[in-house]
């Protein structure tokens, strides 16, 4: 019986041992890693090393360490696990198959200790063969030549060979397979310098700019290859989800990587790659990592399209990149029809206003986004002086955008375009680019026929020719001259480090150069923009005159150190144009200083049209003060707004009553500036090669300081400004040499005009004289008004101590001005018999003491005569007693005259003026 029990126990042990071993093998046969690898994983091999599993050597060393720690129990960790598994299985089998546990236990214990040890060692050996290997087993490492090696066991026939990454020492040698990698050799590590790598694949060029220390080695190559079939399928499967708003999706796929030899290497920082030669301009780019496909690149990756159509991407991680284009579904949301300018009454575009009756789509589109059958439109600027066609609208930072119109099935589709030119411009013509001019209809609209988008991608470019309003002179008007101008011609001194001549007496921010200096910024020529803040914001002739913001005030002080020619009190010629402006315009004539009758006058001369006060000299300055008044609410007599305009290069600073109101500072091409005295609006406009800038949108400022503040926010309320006398001072510089333009126009009432005067000769004849009544005094008054409405009244007199004629009163008066002359006192006992003149009319007047007056207009340079005849009238009045009651309205003038003639007292009466 004991032998049978031993036999049964041995059989049960073998059964349990066999079933435990099969279970372990089944677990080990399921390879989780290979299941995960079914999904596409295109990350670099080096990236996988960062989270690599332990090598065979590392697992073996770990097992050896575990066995050493468990020597005290006589079991390795694995042995313990197997023993526990075996014991557990045996217990379960005993519970199921043995009813009498006490008897069976005795029989089972008859198995010798040697047999149990032998069985345990056998289980352990089998498990090490299939899972881990003991220290006694010898492993063989075979290099694969790419930084990985193959591991096999020389003692286990059932051991499945594995691959693992090499473990390199500091000399770049694998500790197991002896594979050598120079990039891992610290003794041969090179510092990678900035470089450019390039390659081509299927007609597409890839160029990478590599910064310093981007890679651990200098031996780097840029490699572009086809993506795997799995990636191709992945893109096709996910195409619709890439762009939800698109259709007709097209993609170009490239596997981009960097390699050292055959090994893929990862950069330490972002690398920018330029891609040119793609079949299309991509609208999206996807970076595939594993099975992740999306329009948005992972964080840190950037891309955009260059002006030349090439594409750049910037990333730290490279693998398959998918360049995608598609046709976006057109969003049929109508707009308000405005193309540019906003409000037609007050446009906010330098180009004025443009809009259509038809409503274009609210969104702007690139050309490759527009579907067939729609119409693409944009507006261009052009004039005959230049060949460029800058885009007026759509005007965005993003290039090549179009307005899109939906013809809605109309065969011959057209739009009705309404335009308004900006201030100081006119619309010369409108046409489709390359086509004939289009005549506007009666309501002012331009009917523009449009082509539809087809395979040829036809677009409609509407060309608007904006032209500056030209000056047309009023041929019936004679020139006038504003007095008090100061002009200076500056010396040049050559600076060695300059391309031309520079005068540096006035600080680094205000050089006189050749228009090509680039540093500092205030001296560089910004063609259509102003550089504000160079001049002081106040001007006081009594306190140094004009000053720069840096405090320098010597620019108009006559100093031979830096001034070659100095002219003061120069008369500036202005002519009237057909719009009622008094204008100086170098676009129509050449202006130089000439001397006539010992007077300097800046006027039109023959020669090339330009503003050249000192001949062909380049560097000069001008100060022109204009005394003026404005009528009513800032409108002139014909109801037009009162406006001052300036256009020219370079710096222009305009002060009103000593306060800076218009700043056109800087070296620039001709820039317009204007002041509207009705609205108070200040406008600045730049214009160069068909590109316009303006203060309405801020595009005219290279540096903004004063800006374009409303006039009345600077000089005070409009109500208190009108009708008073003011002074507008223009300060002008030609600093940049080459061209010199100047246009000044105004339609307010200028006071300090200059004309050759006329002359008035007052002649008085006394037919009979009564000596007993003393000296006979005759007093005359003249009255006239300036063009601005200012009234003038003056008195003059003759003294007679005998009968006869006197003609010594000869007065210099403004020419072409209506003058009233009358006798306001004829003497104590004398009366006026007659007034006569050949240059005017004599009329009765109840406003004069004598009841008559002469009204004349004196021609420039001519002398007009007014003659008065008096006689004794029989009265017995003595001397000038009756003078005190003659005229109260001009009492102070008369009594000043009496003081001069009679002394401070007469007949005991103190003569102090007034009604005394």
């Amino acid at each position: 019986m004991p032998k049978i029990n031993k036999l049964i126990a041995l059989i049960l042990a073998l059964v349990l041992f066999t079933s435990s071993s099969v279970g372990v093998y089944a677990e080990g046969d399921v390879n989780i890693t290979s299941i995960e690898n079914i999904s596409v994983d295109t990350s670099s091999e080096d990236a996988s090393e960062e989270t690599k599993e332990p090598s065979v050597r590392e697992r073996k060393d770990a097992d050896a360490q575990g066995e050493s720690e468990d020597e005290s129990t006589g079991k390795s960790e694995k042995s313990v696990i197997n023993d526990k598994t075996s014991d557990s299985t045996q217990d379960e089998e005993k519970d199921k198959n043995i009813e009498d546990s006490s008897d069976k236990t005795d029989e089972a214990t008859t198995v010798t200790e040697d047999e149990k040890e032998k069985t345990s060692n056998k289980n352990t050996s089998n498990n090490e063969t299939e899972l881990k290997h003991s220290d006694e087993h010898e492993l063989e490492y075979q290099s694969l030549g790419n930084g990985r090696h193959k591991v096999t066991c020389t003692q286990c026939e059932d051991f499945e060979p594995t691959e693992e990454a090499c473990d390199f020492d500091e000399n770049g040698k694998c500790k197991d397979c002896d594979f050598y990698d120079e990039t891992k050799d610290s003794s041969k590590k090179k510092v990678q310098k900035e470089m450019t790598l390039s390659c081509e694949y299927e007609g597409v060029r890839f160029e990478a700019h590599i910064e310093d220390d981007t890679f651990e080695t200098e031996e780097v190559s840029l490699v572009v290859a086809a993506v795997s079939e799995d990636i191709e399928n992945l893109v096709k499967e996910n195409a619709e989800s890439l762009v939800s708003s698109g259709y007709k999706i097209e993609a170009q796929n490239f596997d981009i990587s960097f390699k050292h030899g055959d090994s893929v290497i990862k950069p330490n920082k972002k690398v920018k790659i330029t891609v040119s030669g793609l079949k299309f301009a991509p609208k999206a780019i996807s970076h595939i990592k594993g099975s992740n496909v999306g329009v948005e690149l992972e964080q840190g990756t950037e891309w955009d399209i260059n002006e030349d159509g090439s594409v750049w991407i910037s990333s730290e991680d490279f693998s398959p990149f998918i360049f995608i284009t598609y046709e976006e579904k057109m969003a049929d949301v109508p707009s308000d029809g405005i193309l540019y300018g906003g409000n037609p009454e007050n446009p906010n575009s330098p180009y004025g206003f443009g809009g259509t009756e038809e409503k274009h789509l609210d969104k702007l589109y690139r050309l490759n986004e527009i579907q067939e059958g729609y119409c693409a439109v944009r507006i261009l600027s052009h004039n005959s002086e230049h060949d460029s066609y800058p885009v007026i609208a759509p005007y965005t930072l993003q290039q090549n955008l179009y307005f899109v119109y939906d013809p809605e099935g109309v065969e011959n589709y057209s739009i009705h375009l309404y335009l308004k030119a900006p201030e100081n411009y006119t619309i010369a013509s409108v046409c489709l680019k390359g086509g004939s001019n289009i005549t506007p209809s009666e309501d002012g609209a331009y009917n523009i026929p449009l082509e539809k988008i087809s395979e040829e991608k036809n677009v409609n470019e509407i060309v608007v020719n904006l032209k500056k309003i030209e000056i047309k002179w009023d041929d019936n008007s004679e020139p006038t001259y504003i007095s008090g101008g100061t002009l200076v011609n500056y010396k040049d001194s050559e600076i060695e480090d300059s391309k031309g001549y520079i005068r540096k007496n006035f600080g680094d921010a205000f050089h006189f150069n050749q228009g090509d200096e680039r540093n500092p910024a205030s001296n560089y020529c910004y063609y259509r923009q102003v550089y504000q803040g160079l001049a002081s914001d106040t001007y006081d002739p009594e306190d140094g005159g004009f000053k720069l913001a840096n405090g320098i005030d010597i620019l108009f002080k006559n100093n031979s150190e830096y001034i070659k020619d100095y002219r003061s009190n120069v008369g500036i010629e202005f002519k009237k144009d057909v719009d009622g402006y008094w204008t100086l315009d170098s676009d129509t004539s050449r202006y130089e200083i000439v001397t006539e009758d010992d007077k300097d006058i800046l006027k039109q001369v023959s020669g090339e049209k330009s503003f050249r006060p000192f001949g062909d000299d380049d560097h000069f300055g001008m100060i022109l003060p204009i005394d003026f008044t404005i009528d009513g609410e800032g409108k002139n007599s014909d109801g037009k707004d009162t406006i001052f305009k300036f256009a020219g290069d370079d710096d222009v600073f305009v002060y009103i009553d000593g306060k800076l109101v218009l700043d056109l500072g800087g070296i620039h091409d001709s820039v317009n500036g204007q002041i509207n005295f009705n609205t108070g609006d200040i406008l600045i406009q730049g214009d160069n090669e068909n590109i316009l800038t303006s203060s309405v949108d801020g595009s005219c400022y290279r540096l903004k300081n004063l800006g374009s503040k409303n006039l009345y926010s600077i000089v005070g309320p409009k109500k208190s400004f009108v009708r008073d006398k003011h002074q507008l001072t223009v300060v002008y510089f030609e600093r940049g040499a080459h061209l010199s333009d100047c246009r000044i126009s105004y339609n307010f009432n200028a006071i300090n005009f200059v004309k050759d005067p006329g002359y008035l000769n007052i002649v008085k004849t006394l037919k009979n004289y009564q000596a007993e009544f003393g000296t006979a005094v005759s007093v005359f008054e003249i009255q006239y008004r300036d063009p601005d409405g200012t009234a003038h009244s003056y008195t003059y007199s003759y003294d007679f101590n005998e009968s006869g004629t006197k003609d010594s009163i000869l007065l210099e008066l403004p020419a072409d001005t209506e003058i009233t002359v009358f006798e306001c006192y004829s003497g104590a006992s004398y009366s006026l018999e007659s007034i006569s003149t050949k240059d005017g009319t004599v009329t009765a007047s109840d406003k004069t003491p004598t009841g008559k007056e002469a009204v004349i207009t004196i021609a420039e340079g001519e002398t007009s005569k007014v003659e008065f005849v008096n006689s004794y009238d029989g009265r017995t009045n003595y001397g000038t007693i009756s003078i005190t009651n003659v005229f109260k309205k001009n009492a102070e003038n008369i009594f000043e005259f009496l003081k001069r003639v009679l002394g401070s007292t007469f007949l005991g009466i103190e003569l102090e003026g007034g009604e005394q």
Side-chain angles (χ1 to χ4, degrees), residues 31-76:
N31 190 331
I32 301 300
T33 303
S34 64
I35 291 176
E36 290 178 343
N37 287 339
I38 293 173
S39 64
V40 180
D41 185 0
T42 61
S43 58
S44 69
E45 294 174 341
D46 283 354
S48 67
E49 290 179 24
E50 296 175 4
T51 55
K52 64 183 181 180
E53 69 229 25
S55 66
V56 173
R57 175 182 289 277
E58 288 169 342
R59 292 196 299 268
K60 183 173 69 175
D61 291 345
D63 290 344
Q65 182 179 354
E67 290 174 2
S68 174
E69 291 174 353
D70 292 335
E71 279 182 357
S72 60
T73 62
K75 296 182 179 180
S76 69

Side-chain angles (χ1 to χ4, degrees), residues 83-147:
D83 286 347
K84 289 182 177 180
T85 303
S86 179
D87 291 344
S88 174
T89 306
Q90 290 174 3
D91 289 343
E92 291 175 4
E93 292 294 332
K94 287 178 182 179
D95 290 341
K96 293 178 182 178
N97 300 314
I98 303 175
E99 296 179 356
D100 188 357
S101 59
S102 60
D103 292 339
K104 298 297 181 183
T105 300
D106 291 337
E107 293 178 5
T109 54
T110 59
V111 180
T112 65
E113 292 296 326
D114 293 338
E115 290 173 333
K116 288 175 67 177
E117 185 176 353
K118 182 178 178 181
T119 302
S120 178
N121 288 338
K122 183 178 179 181
N123 288 341
T124 301
S125 176
N126 287 336
N127 288 332
E128 287 291 353
T129 300
E130 297 174 2
L131 292 177
K132 294 185 179 180
H133 299 274
S134 66
D135 290 336
E136 289 80 12
H137 289 212
E138 183 179 351
L139 299 178
E140 186 177 82
Y141 300 88
Q142 182 180 357
S143 174
L144 298 177
N146 60 356

Side-chain angles (χ1 to χ4, degrees), residues 643-660:
I643 293 175
F644 170 85
K645 300 180 181 181
F646 182 93
D649 64 297
D650 295 301
D651 312 84
V652 176
F653 310 105
V654 178
Y655 297 84
I656 292 182
D657 298 338
K659 297 177 180 179
L660 183 64

Side-chain angles (χ1 to χ4, degrees), residues 249-309:
I249 300 170
E250 185 179 352
Q252 282 186 271
N253 314 324
F254 305 96
D255 193 349
I256 305 172
S257 63
F258 293 96
K259 288 189 175 183
H260 172 74
D262 292 330
S263 300
V264 174
I265 55 177
K266 183 177 179 180
N268 299 324
K269 61 180 74 172
K270 284 187 177 182
V271 177
K272 186 174 182 179
I273 297 182
T274 301
V275 184
S276 55
L278 292 170
K279 297 177 182 177
F280 48 76
K283 296 180 182 178
I285 297 178
S286 178
H287 186 189
I288 296 182
K289 297 186 70 175
S291 59
N292 180 22
V293 182
V295 176
E296 295 296 331
L297 298 175
E298 71 275 4
Q299 187 175 3
T301 303
E302 302 169 341
W303 75 280
D304 205 348
I305 300 175
N306 297 316
E307 290 185 1
D308 62 1

